[in-house]
Amino acid sequence: MYTSNFNNLILNSDSYKTSHWVQYPPGSEYMSSYVEARKGDFDVVFFGLQAFIKEYLSRPITQQDIDEAELVITAHGLTFNRTGWERLLEKHGGYLPLRIEAVPEGSIVPVSNVVCQIVNTDPEFYWLPSYIETALLRAIWYPSTVASVSYYCRTIIHKALEKSADTTDSLPFRLHDFGARGASSFESVALGSLANLVNFSGTDSMTALVAASRWYGMDKQMAAFSIPAAEHSTMTAWGRDGETAAFANMIEQFGGPDKAFSVVSDSYDLWNAIDNIWGDELKEAVENMGGTLVIRPDSGEPTKVVREALERLAVKFGTTINSKGYKVLPNYVRIIQGDGINAQSLGKIINAVMDAGFSAENITFGMGGGLLQQVNRDTMSWAMKASAICIDGKWIDIYKDPVTSHSKRSKKGRLALIKDSSGQLKTITVDELDNLDNSAQSLIRDVYVDGKLLIDDTLTTIRERTGW
């Protein structure tokens, strides 16, 4: 009946959007909508819009797209705005006559503030801003939520290092992305893992490296790093009686001055591995190899396991006391905890480690599902809502305010984001902005106009905005 084309933007929408062009009032000319995270436990770290624009909005709608969409949508039982889409092709060469404004990517914005705003630039296409809501909101909420969770974790780790370590220089490598296999799709990995790299420089997602090059200017610079690491298959392949040989092989293969490697050590008995293999049979080899062994527990209750692992390693390898008064293992041995890590458990583990007198510099975290999958649109209550419509040349503020849920009240008017006199970010209307001092400017800026990407930030620039 029709070909399957995942790149057809007309079909990248909710079904009910296809009939909306006849539902707006007569004389409609322009529609202004905005995106915000209405509430949540984290500040917003805005990220991902540039990737969406490059991947989906930088190519024109074609006649083939229109023909295919008509077949699909009418067979689906809905009406199709063929005239509107063909006018878009005729007048604009298939490029969307839209203006998209947004805060700079990497900006940290409190919830309940506008971070993106969209309006059509041609009055014939008043229905277009709402039509792409599905794709645009999805493109923003997921990577922005992952970046926000990641930034929250970074804040926790940073505070712990400031309190318990001589330096915070290692912060970019303290949270490693383990989430590729648990993500819902290839594109989720690309966007989610890349969002984590706004805050950290460690990942085991090579997809994120491709995404950083494709969308964020990292084609001549490596976006993140990893180290050789064992998995259970490479350890258990030696058999239970061969565990010592398996560990020794890791030292032989990957040990050396300034090198680091990770070995999962709980295939059978983590405590035996620490006490008798790493801390006894292979102790001399670990001490003399010149690099860093990173031991990875992978089961049990993380808070208890990490604390006990550190205590046992301290018995076997000793510790020093740093300037902050916390115990530090020798540089050649560390721990990475990658099982059961999320924004809540991470802080509990760090507190347990520090309560036991150990510096947070002894431990690195790996985060998988808690980073890329344990989020949804409701994590931060993301929404895109129409806030103003121009009818017959007059702008009118519009909004929703359900009596059954005032938390879903939406904002009115064409919006701006400013810093108020106390330095706090605040959403106001464009009319209010016009009445302020002439130096006042909105922090949301044009990113896309009529098919053209106006700002092309690198990941390096975005990282700098988060405080790197």
Side-chain angles (χ1 to χ4, degrees), residues 26 40 98-99 164 185 300 380 409 411 420 422 458:
L98 294 172
R99 176 190 183 195
S164 69
S185 69
M380 302 182 74
R409 180 190 294 124
K411 292 176 168 54
D420 64 18
S422 65
T458 65

Side-chain angles (χ1 to χ4, degrees), residues 146-164:
V146 174
S148 301
V149 171
S150 173
Y151 182 78
Y152 176 79
C153 293
R154 178 179 147 190
T155 301
I156 293 174
I157 298 170
H158 190 200
K159 289 179 179 178
L161 290 174
E162 284 186 321
K163 182 177 180 180
S164 69

Side-chain angles (χ1 to χ4, degrees), residues 346-393:
L346 185 146
K348 293 177 181 178
I349 295 168
I350 286 178
N351 288 338
V353 166
M354 293 171 62
D355 287 346
F358 289 92
S359 170
E361 66 190 282
N362 291 293
I363 182 169
T364 297
F365 296 93
M367 197 167 172
L371 182 66
L372 302 190
Q373 284 296 113
Q374 292 174 17
V375 297
N376 56 48
R377 187 163 69 91
D378 292 333
T379 301
M380 302 182 74
S381 191
W382 285 93
M384 175 173 159
K385 296 298 176 188
S387 58
I389 187 170
C390 182
I391 301 176
D392 294 328

Side-chain angles (χ1 to χ4, degrees), residues 10 60-67 82-97 125 127:
I10 303 174
I61 300 293
T62 66
Q63 186 64 52
Q64 182 180 346
D65 292 332
I66 297 170
D67 294 342
R82 185 178 186 90
T83 300
W85 287 109
E86 288 192 332
R87 282 290 289 165
L88 188 148
L89 181 60
E90 176 188 345
K91 291 186 69 176
H92 299 282
Y95 291 100
L96 303 189
F125 303 96
W127 47 270

